[in-house]
Amino acid sequence: MKKICPSILSADFAKLADEISEVEKAGADIIHCDIMDGHFVPNITFGADVVSHVNTITDLPLDVHLMIENSDKYIDSFAKAGADYISVHYENNNHLHRLVDKIKSLGVKAGVVLNPATPVLLLKNIIGNLDFVLIMSVNPGFGGQKFIENAVDKVIELKKMINEFNPDCLIEIDGGIGLNNIKLVSDAGVDMFVCGASVFKSVDRVGVIKEMKRLIS
Ligand code: DX5
Ligand code: ZN
């Protein structure tokens, strides 16, 4: 089943528990947590302690997207904090098999993320080890950016690779996803839709999530 994953990056952190509870009641499937360190991306967000608090206020699975240097040093703490999914970027991790094995050994689903300029082809020798691939449809660092169209072709190419080498691997997309393009990317093969601004900056979050679910069903 396809899953809507609101990103709390665009939520109001002064009332995070209420924000999460609202999207949970509205039918969100997974909570997406964006971890940024001010080095790999030009922004800083939060770490494992906050993820651990988020874990106490929701029953939904947590999807931790690491946009940090030295990801390997922090896998244990995010797993301990309650991450159900952890994704690491292709661009700044030299030993992906080792990292992916480590994530899986902790009972967490492992994903690799591709920036908009990183070709899908580069995953060919690791796709068989992955639980999911995250295709960035913006350059990571901020919420509310404009969707980069080449993501659709990348999803189609990735879906072919997945069908050939690892049919269980899921495709996630992140960046600029909203009511205007969710069906397009769903038809291309996306299983998990990260939605930041389109959900949390809307006055009718319940309505938006319901409509998203209708469009991808
Ligand atoms: C961007 C983050 C995204 C962000 C998406 O670096 O990875 O998860 O929250 O936000 P929207 O949906 O507003 O583009
Ligand atoms: Zn993200």
Side-chain angles (χ1 to χ4, degrees):
M1 233 237 326
K2 299 203 177 215
K3 295 185 190 307
I4 301 291
C5 318
S7 162
I8 55 172
L9 184 62
S10 291
D12 181 346
F13 273 69
K15 41 177 185 171
L16 192 53
D18 294 343
E19 298 275 89
I20 290 173
S21 146
E22 189 179 350
V23 295
E24 183 167 356
K25 284 192 198 119
D29 299 290
I30 291 173
I31 298 296
H32 183 81
C33 301
D34 286 304
I35 314 300
M36 305 184 187
D37 66 352
H39 293 277
F40 178 61
V41 289
N43 194 7
I44 299 175
T45 57
F46 52 87
D49 283 350
V50 169
V51 172
S52 170
H53 287 298
V54 168
N55 196 34
T56 65
I57 56 180
T58 180
D59 293 330
L60 293 180
L62 303 183
D63 171 29
V64 172
H65 174 191
L66 294 182
M67 287 160 276
I68 60 174
E69 297 298 352
N70 303 312
S71 311
D72 53 317
K73 283 192 190 164
Y74 301 95
I75 301 297
D76 282 308
S77 55
F78 283 105
K80 205 165 159 207
D84 297 280
Y85 300 76
I86 293 179
S87 57
V88 294
H89 271 258
Y90 180 89
E91 296 81 10
N92 67 337
N93 289 292
N94 292 330
H95 309 291
L96 276 178
H97 286 92
R98 187 187 294 152
L99 202 48
V100 163
D101 284 351
K102 167 144 196 188
I103 295 170
K104 288 174 150 183
S105 75
L106 297 166
V108 177
K109 292 195 189 311
V112 168
V113 193
L114 297 184
N115 275 340
T118 307
V120 166
L121 190 63
L122 293 174
L123 292 179
K124 194 170 170 201
N125 295 96
I126 193 156
I127 194 79
N129 301 61
L130 302 181
D131 294 307
F132 65 108
V133 174
L134 170 47
I135 297 287
M136 288 307 299
S137 38
V138 298
N139 285 287
F142 304 94
Q145 301 182 80
K146 191 173 175 296
F147 179 75
I148 297 175
E149 300 281 340
N150 83 349
V152 180
D153 288 340
K154 288 176 74 175
V155 169
I156 292 169
E157 188 184 347
L158 176 60
K159 188 71 186 171
K160 280 191 201 140
M161 188 189 283
I162 283 174
N163 285 342
E164 190 174 351
F165 297 110
N166 181 5
D168 293 333
C169 181
L170 300 177
I171 303 178
E172 182 173 34
I173 196 160
D174 185 0
I177 299 298
L179 291 175
N180 58 321
N181 55 15
I182 197 164
K183 182 164 173 19
L184 176 73
V185 295
S186 176
D187 289 347
V190 172
D191 306 288
M192 298 161 71
F193 307 83
V194 177
C195 309
S198 59
V199 167
F200 282 110
K201 301 295 183 201
S202 161
V203 285
D204 179 17
R205 287 128 176 217
V206 178
V208 169
I209 291 176
K210 275 205 177 121
E211 181 61 5
M212 283 176 165
K213 295 200 119 175
R214 190 188 69 78
L215 287 166
I216 62 175
S217 66

